[in-house]
Amino acid sequence: MHGVKRVHQSSEAIQARKLKEQAKITEYLALANDVLSRKTSEDWSLEAFRLTTRLLRTNPEFYTVWNYRRNICLQGIFPNSSPEAIYELICEDLVFTMNALKVHPKVYWIWNHRRWCLNHVPEGPNESDLQGWKKASWERELAVVEKILDADARNFHAWSYRRYVLASMPVSRTEESELAYTAKKIESNFSNFSAWHQRSKVYSSLCESGKLQFDQFKKQELELVRNAMYTDPDDQSVWIYHRWLMGAGDDSELLLQEITAIQELLDEQPDSKWCMECILHYKLLLLQKHSTIVDVKAVSEECQTLLKQLKAIDPYRRQRYDDLAAAVLRL
Amino acid sequence: MADTLLISHHVSYIQKLGQSQDELAYHLTSHLRLNAIYWGLTAICIMGRPDALSREEMIAFVMDCWDDNAGFGAHPGHDGHLLSTLSAIQILIMQDALDKLDVNRVVSFILSLQQPSGVFAGDSWGEIDTRFLYCAVNALSLLGKLDLLDKEKTVGYIKRCRNFDGGFGSCVGAESHAGQVFPCVAALAILDRLDIVDYDTLGWWLCERQLPSGGLNGRPEKLEDVCYSFWVLSSLSILNKLTWIDADKLTKFILSAQDPEGGGIADRLGNMVDVFHTNFGIAGLVDLDPVYCMPAVLIEKMGLRKGWTALERRQITSK
Ligand SMILES: [Zn+2]
């Protein structure tokens, strides 16, 4: 159970609640037992299907009943239905699960059922457009995920599902449009690490496929990040993304440039832990990878100073700073 | 606010859970029953009260959850699933009743769920998740059947879930999440492949989960929670980097989430308790094996503990 306030109830109040629940329990158990016994006797009728709707509306976490519902479709309904009828039923199930998601956006089984629905959209509407229904369904699906992400921009079920939809669409979206989407999410809230993460994945895939090179988007991304840093220097999301942009630290010029830029922000915000943490990390990379072009002794001392400051302002993680200080000495 | 672990309260809270048939919530959570029994049993075992629940009834219930088509379901009459199958195996082991189990059938059910990519599905409907991969690896290890697993393929999938921040997601491409970092790291620990982990980066990401309240969150810029605290804590423990967070502050946070009247632990201070957070709250404070999520002494006795250290008993006197 997450985020449900505990209210103190007197024993009288508890008794009264239990009494009120009694009728609901009887009704619920009668329905659940009916559905489970129909399942055992392999009842694949439309009536059984409707009973699963009722039960799942009360309890969308009842995974066995979702399974049974799909089996009713596969064993009973689909074999005797026209493609039009199957498509209609699937569309209805997508509406049904959408309504369920509005109330229970984090129930795995509802998301799973949608995947199954989309994978069972039949060919049609006609010979000349066999992919028509599929295309329309997957397009609509992307709009559905966006709606859920509008309600909770960090819902990881929705983000995973979004990636699944993007990978499954018969007509795939361009990576550029996904970059635009993540930019929109980030601009409406810099603190949305899920969107930063998605952005890093899209860029990685563009780079891996050879369509894009780091230098082509480096400047633009650093600008976006800079903007976010200045807006809220305490937000972890942007700093973590910045570390992705810096990669393994092979580019010494980039490291030096970013150290200088972050130092400017630190001068304005002398208590900013994340400014210190990032400068420290990049200086450590300089020491590890570019020791021939930096003044090792001076940079090591700067690292030790930063570590002392970090330890003072961020005592929960003091041992990590001590471990790093010891590692600097060994460099 | 309690500053000690209220053991007797929690034991009686767990005992009462099995007798709540007059509450609607009890019936609406039947799809989690076997998992709940595992959480409750683990909690009473590490609190030193293994007899607080009836052994015979429990074993009979577990065996009633057997689904002839697919391992164990969460409740009699429910479909088999990897999540409940692991719970069943863990319960039977804690109750020293593994002789009830048709090991070969369970093992072949588990192995049948591995996908060509190396990840595991939860059941034949095909939902994939690194949590299911962990369930499979944990279960096979507990049953001494790890040699039947294609380890390269399994590790290969985990590797592809690794993100630049050092963490792991639920599937390839997914955002790092403490609830997914734990299963990936624990599976790698069982498979002796922690070399896949970037210790410094992941250790950094994990310790940055601790918030001023002492509690830990599951992802950047999210709220702290007792269950996420446990996923982070056990991951840090496997990496031998427990000292990278402030354990005393975390202890205080967990203790503050206790219900000092009815017993049980909530996700955070002032919220409704449940058996899931009760177990993982207590687990963060007393001797639990961080890889198998079972009592440390038992895992030690089975010879399954390797390089990691158990979560030690914190200095909190109980009343
Ligand atoms: Zn939680």
Side-chain angles (χ1 to χ4, degrees), chain A residues 270-286:
Chain A
D271 290 333
S272 168
K273 170 191 153 177
W274 284 93
C275 286
M276 291 182 214
E277 169 71 39
C278 275
I279 294 176
L280 170 73
H281 182 64
Y282 301 142
K283 286 193 172 171
L284 288 174
L285 287 175
L286 282 178

Side-chain angles (χ1 to χ4, degrees), chain A residues 128-297:
Chain A
S128 64
D129 189 13
L130 288 174
Q131 293 292 304
W133 285 337
K134 289 181 197 281
K135 278 188 219 161
S137 306
W138 286 101
E139 282 294 329
R140 275 198 304 268
E141 204 56 9
L142 205 56
V144 164
V145 193
E146 285 178 19
K147 219 176 250 166
I148 304 257
L149 285 174
D150 285 343
D152 174 6
R154 295 296 305 277
N155 183 333
F156 74 90
H157 297 270
W159 279 104
S160 284
Y161 190 69
R162 181 179 179 85
R163 281 181 283 272
Y164 175 77
V165 171
L166 287 170
S168 313
M169 294 174 87
V171 186
S172 52
R173 285 262 181 133
T174 61
E175 273 122 338
E176 286 70 25
S177 67
E178 190 58 6
L179 285 177
Y181 180 71
T182 57
K184 194 179 90 185
K185 293 312 260 186
I186 289 167
E187 274 153 24
S188 76
N189 182 5
F190 283 133
S191 176
N192 185 347
F193 184 72
S194 306
W196 290 107
H197 165 85
Q198 175 77 339
R199 203 167 170 79
S200 78
K201 291 291 173 189
V202 177
Y203 274 129
S204 299
S205 113
L206 282 167
C207 290
E208 273 159 32
S209 63
K211 286 191 211 156
L212 199 66
Q213 287 189 338
F214 180 62
D215 281 341
Q216 292 170 274
F217 60 86
K218 175 174 82 179
K219 205 167 155 239
Q220 163 206 331
E221 287 309 286
L222 286 172
E223 218 158 281
L224 178 66
V225 166
R226 193 92 67 237
N227 210 342
M229 277 177 192
Y230 273 85
T231 309
D232 184 2
D234 292 332
D235 193 283
Q236 296 191 4
S237 321
V238 57
W239 296 105
I240 299 176
Y241 186 72
H242 191 269
R243 269 177 79 147
W244 175 70
L245 285 175
M246 305 298 280
D250 295 325
D251 182 344
S252 61
E253 241 171 89
L254 183 64
L255 286 173
L256 290 166
Q257 170 199 312
E258 289 307 294
I259 288 170
T260 310
I262 300 169
Q263 184 64 50
E264 270 171 39
L265 177 56
L266 182 60
D267 292 341
E268 269 179 43
Q269 310 262 350
D271 290 333
S272 168
K273 170 191 153 177
W274 284 93
C275 286
M276 291 182 214
E277 169 71 39
C278 275
I279 294 176
L280 170 73
H281 182 64
Y282 301 142
K283 286 193 172 171
L284 288 174
L285 287 175
L286 282 178
L287 290 174
Q288 285 158 7
K289 302 209 159 175
H290 308 283
S291 56
T292 50
I293 60 157
V294 294
D295 178 346
V296 171
K297 191 164 170 282

Side-chain angles (χ1 to χ4, degrees), chain A residues 1-2, chain B residues 225-228 267 276-277:
Chain A
M1 227 177 296
H2 283 120
Chain B
D225 181 323
V226 164
C227 72
Y228 292 134
D267 56 347
F276 171 77
H277 288 95

Side-chain angles (χ1 to χ4, degrees), chain A residues 18 21-30 32-33 36 55 58-62, chain B residues 17-33 75 78:
Chain A
K18 284 185 180 174
E21 279 183 359
Q22 204 49 56
K24 279 192 198 159
I25 293 173
T26 311
E27 195 194 330
Y28 176 77
L29 287 180
N33 292 336
L36 288 180
L55 186 50
T58 315
N59 187 3
E61 303 234 37
F62 208 150
Chain B
L17 285 172
Q19 301 143 17
S20 311
Q21 283 86 345
D22 57 349
E23 306 230 15
L24 185 59
Y26 175 86
H27 301 283
L28 289 178
T29 51
S30 62
H31 61 278
L32 282 175
R33 191 71 71 236
H75 189 276
H78 294 204

